[in-house]
Amino acid sequence: MTVNIYTLTSPIHNKVETEKATAEWIGSIEQATGKDVLRLRGEDFSEYGNGDLELLYVRTGGTEGLFKALYENEPRLREGRLLLLTSGKSNSLAASMEILSWLRAQGREGEILHGDAKYVAQRIILLGKVSIAKKSLKGKKIGVIGEPSDWLIASSFDTEAIQRKIGVEVEKISMEELLKEIRKRDYPIAARKRIETCPSDYFIGALEIYGALKRIVEKHGISALTLRCFDLLSTVKNTGCLALALLNEEGIPSSCEGDVPALLTMMISYELTGETGFQANPSRINPETDEMVLAHCTIPLNMITHYEYDTHYESGIGVAIRGKMQTGLVTLCKLNGDLSRHYAAEGILQENLTEQNLCRTQVKVSIPGAAKYLLNNPIGNHHIILRGQQKALIDTFMNSL
């Protein structure tokens, strides 16, 4: 990560003292990050926009007019959210507040980074990850193979909003195209070496679905996909559970049932954390304890410590994944289909279950406050489980749109 820091300084302040204070403040932030990421660029804005994150360090008071003139003459400052770095000296904070107030009057978004070195460093790292994710997403394409499943009546999506907010294109791909690829009965042999062999008669067919999806990914240049997978039950007498587990492991976010909001959640989560997440149905909730069971018949293979094969729950055919996740800290999250609303909360994965009347991968989690949200104002059915504490990262990303 590279963080470029540009400075804004009143000429009436003592230059030697200002430079000394700058070296001390920037040095303390750099030390708190634990990384060599900060680059002090001074007043030369020729590199503005080329870093992973850009900060304007308002070093002193009396800089408000200087900023306004700079803003009007430097087009690059008029793009995206403006981040103002401050210190507790030389009226830096006061000037930044006046500048941010003026920016908001112009309809612009921004943020003042202020606090001790540790807090500011943590905020810089967080904002840097978000900035890198947004730049990575721009220009990518997701494939919607078939229409969303009929029961996803609240999981619509807005292609224009997705394009405008994160720069991602949505391409619709017919189920007939997928079926044509499946009929080729071909798949990468290397996939067999990555997974445990399954004695089921459905196993080779499941790999052929994977091979078909891989070819569609390459043909259409898509970076993520969602599949109307239940149609495969009647057309090829198999399921996409194994294929989606493999694709997610490879870093190709892939959601079930044509669920685009779930896919957006997985795709953005992947760019932020390097992990696509586990798409699951909330199956049982205890409103008094906030404990709940979530389940689905597939899970990214790199999220689990162990797995075994079973049939797809509803149909009793195909190859489903029963995976075991590591207990510990997790985040439950979901974005809606036009990226105007999101939910993220942290909790504990308590145990893995193996109940017969649920989808094959089953986890019991405790998420404080989640029962009220899920039972009163949920964002659809499917939610995504991520390992670790990711709420701040997801909140920061969504609040930056």
Side-chain angles (χ1 to χ4, degrees), residues 72-114:
E72 292 171 346
N73 290 287
E74 182 53 72
R76 282 170 288 195
L77 285 176
R78 301 197 291 270
E79 298 177 3
R81 295 175 76 249
L82 199 61
L83 301 174
L84 304 174
L85 177 63
T86 69
S87 70
K89 298 181 179 180
S90 304
N91 287 323
S92 170
L93 176 59
S96 297
M97 292 170 64
E98 188 74 14
I99 289 170
L100 183 57
S101 297
W102 182 83
L103 279 170
R104 290 195 178 278
Q106 315 309 307
R108 289 290 310 283
E109 295 292 327
E111 178 182 342
I112 296 171
L113 303 184
H114 184 77

Side-chain angles (χ1 to χ4, degrees), residues 242-366:
L242 179 60
L244 299 187
L246 288 166
L247 290 169
N248 278 306
E249 181 188 41
E250 294 169 6
I252 303 171
S254 303
S255 72
C256 313
E257 302 172 36
D259 191 332
V260 175
L263 179 62
L264 289 171
T265 309
M266 296 167 77
M267 187 181 192
I268 290 171
S269 297
Y270 178 73
E271 296 296 343
L272 290 170
T273 70
E275 187 168 275
T276 60
F278 171 35
Q279 174 190 352
N281 300 312
S283 301
R284 283 200 308 275
I285 303 171
N286 186 327
E288 296 180 316
T289 65
D290 281 315
E291 293 176 322
M292 67 195 72
V293 175
L294 298 103
H296 230 213
C297 282
T298 185
I299 186 171
L301 296 182
N302 57 345
M303 285 190 72
I304 49 184
T305 59
H306 169 75
Y307 69 93
E308 57 190 41
Y309 299 114
D310 202 336
T311 58
H312 178 249
Y313 167 58
E314 288 91 344
S315 65
I317 67 171
V319 178
I321 306 294
R322 177 181 285 114
K324 181 178 181 181
M325 291 184 66
Q326 182 68 47
T327 57
L329 296 170
V330 292
T331 301
L332 184 70
C333 58
K334 183 69 179 295
L335 317 180
N336 72 350
D338 65 2
L339 300 176
S340 64
R341 183 183 171 216
H342 78 284
Y343 171 81
E346 296 169 348
I348 302 291
L349 193 155
Q350 299 173 322
E351 61 178 313
N352 296 268
L353 306 176
T354 56
E355 297 182 12
Q356 293 301 308
N357 62 344
L358 291 176
C359 294
R360 305 316 186 185
T361 294
Q362 308 162 16
V363 294
K364 182 180 179 181
V365 301
S366 175

Side-chain angles (χ1 to χ4, degrees), residues 132-165:
I132 291 170
K134 292 174 76 172
K135 289 179 180 180
S136 179
L137 284 165
K138 188 164 291 187
K140 289 188 174 179
K141 184 193 300 184
I142 62 177
V144 181
I145 304 175
E147 295 296 321
S149 292
D150 298 340
W151 48 86
L152 296 180
I153 60 174
S155 299
S156 59
F157 59 97
D158 184 333
T159 56
E160 188 278 330
I162 295 168
Q163 174 72 51
R164 172 169 45 85
K165 291 183 178 181

